Amino acid sequence: MTGPKIRLHVEQPLAAGQAIALSEAQANYLFAVMRLGPGAAVHLFNGRDGEWQAEVAEAGKRRGILVCRAQTAPQGAPPDVWLVFVPVRKDRTAFMVEKAVELGAARLVPVSTRRMNAERMRIDKHQAHATEAAEQCEATWVPEVAALQPLERLLTGWDPARRLYWADEDLARHAAGGDPAAPAAAGARAGAPVSPPARGERAAILIGPEGGFTTEERALLRGLPFVSPLSLGPRILRAETAALAALTLWQASAGDWR
Ligand code: SAH
């Protein structure tokens, strides 16, 4: 194959000989932006049927047809880790969504907290970022970006079998030599959760807003049996850095980075 591998997420079923009619946006991307013509190869995935090599059969300005030739990868699945985050500024949230998909998060769950400081969140835009990231990083699935909901509501309906790693910025202050007697700091070391994540566990990582968690939110989190406080070292990270660092730690010890 010459040139970069071009991957496209589609909704249609994929099977040998299956014809795929492109949307206007897809046709524009393949034929106007990437300048493909008839006979060119494109890789397709839909989150169910693995990855398929397809060939451009018809290339129009606003439409086009691809035909599936052969499966090039089986259907995969990410490890079962969610990123629960508070939307920050639009471009930083987009960055966080993109990187979380690349790092192998299975689901992105935006929550609102008291100190949330963001304009209204466009879930459809962020879902599109997630799809683009999946296309780029050769995943065969696209993580769902859930609807924005209050943190308290999410915690009320939480499945206790899913462990929630709470990236707690207060632990950074203790790690840096602050009040060593704070209960949340007990047993938490920089870069390591209170007890190590286990392979195959269902997990989620909670990252707070730029303004941090309030005293009430901290008390709520501390009282929940499925919550494990997580320190990310002695410096206060921006929310998007914290999300990447926490996902990296979890993936390296319990995820699919073998
Ligand atoms: N302004 C807040 C910090 C917010 S940082 C304050 O001064 O307290 C944004 C989020 O990133 C935090 O809510 C936390 O979830 C995460 N975070 C940042 N640095 C961290 C660290 N060193 N350890 C654990 N979590 C951290």
Side-chain angles (χ1 to χ4, degrees):
M1 201 173 72
T2 56
K5 180 170 176 177
I6 297 174
R7 298 181 86 246
L8 208 57
H9 174 261
V10 297
E11 301 292 342
Q12 295 97 322
L14 301 172
Q18 175 79 42
I20 308 291
L22 298 173
S23 69
E24 193 173 327
Q26 289 168 334
N28 182 64
Y29 169 68
L30 293 183
F31 310 136
V33 180
M34 300 310 292
R35 309 213 151 269
L36 299 186
V42 179
H43 287 79
L44 304 177
F45 66 106
N46 61 8
R48 305 180 300 275
D49 300 322
E51 184 195 73
W52 285 75
Q53 178 160 14
E55 195 180 293
V56 176
E58 282 178 46
K61 242 189 140 66
R62 296 202 170 79
R63 53 187 301 278
I65 307 235
L66 307 178
V67 177
C68 283
R69 294 299 181 212
Q71 194 183 40
T72 44
Q75 180 59 46
D80 197 355
V81 62
W82 300 354
L83 177 65
V84 181
F85 65 101
V86 182
V88 282
R89 252 174 39 201
K90 198 166 52 194
D91 52 339
R92 289 181 180 275
T93 305
F95 177 87
M96 186 151 51
V97 166
E98 179 182 286
K99 299 308 161 204
V101 173
E102 290 176 40
L103 292 170
R107 191 162 178 258
L108 306 175
V109 185
V111 290
S112 53
T113 61
R114 282 293 302 282
R115 297 200 187 127
M116 175 169 156
N117 186 15
E119 350 55 300
R120 278 186 75 78
M121 195 194 172
R122 289 281 306 271
I123 300 293
D124 55 339
K125 286 258 161 73
H126 290 296
Q127 185 64 67
H129 289 135
T131 303
E132 273 168 37
E135 288 171 344
Q136 181 274 324
C137 76
E138 305 200 10
T140 49
W141 61 87
V142 178
E144 177 205 8
V145 182
L148 183 69
Q149 60 186 304
L151 175 64
E152 275 163 54
R153 199 202 298 157
L154 178 75
L155 294 174
T156 305
W158 196 263
D159 168 9
R162 181 178 297 277
R163 192 158 161 186
L164 181 61
Y165 294 99
W166 164 33
D168 177 2
E169 66 270 15
D170 260 17
L171 297 179
R173 303 205 165 90
H174 303 305
D179 174 12
R189 290 170 288 116
V194 174
S195 62
R199 274 205 196 278
E201 72 175 8
R202 274 184 283 165
I205 290 162
L206 170 62
I207 303 293
E210 289 302 342
F213 293 102
T214 62
T215 310
E216 297 75 37
E217 287 163 347
R218 313 181 64 78
L220 171 69
L221 285 162
R222 221 174 273 136
L224 295 169
F226 49 81
V227 169
S228 300
L230 170 68
S231 166
L232 297 170
R235 288 164 295 276
I236 302 290
L237 310 176
R238 279 190 179 271
E240 66 273 26
T241 318
L244 305 197
L247 275 168
T248 302
L249 284 174
W250 188 88
Q251 282 286 25
S253 53
D256 61 2
W257 293 13
R258 287 152 226 268

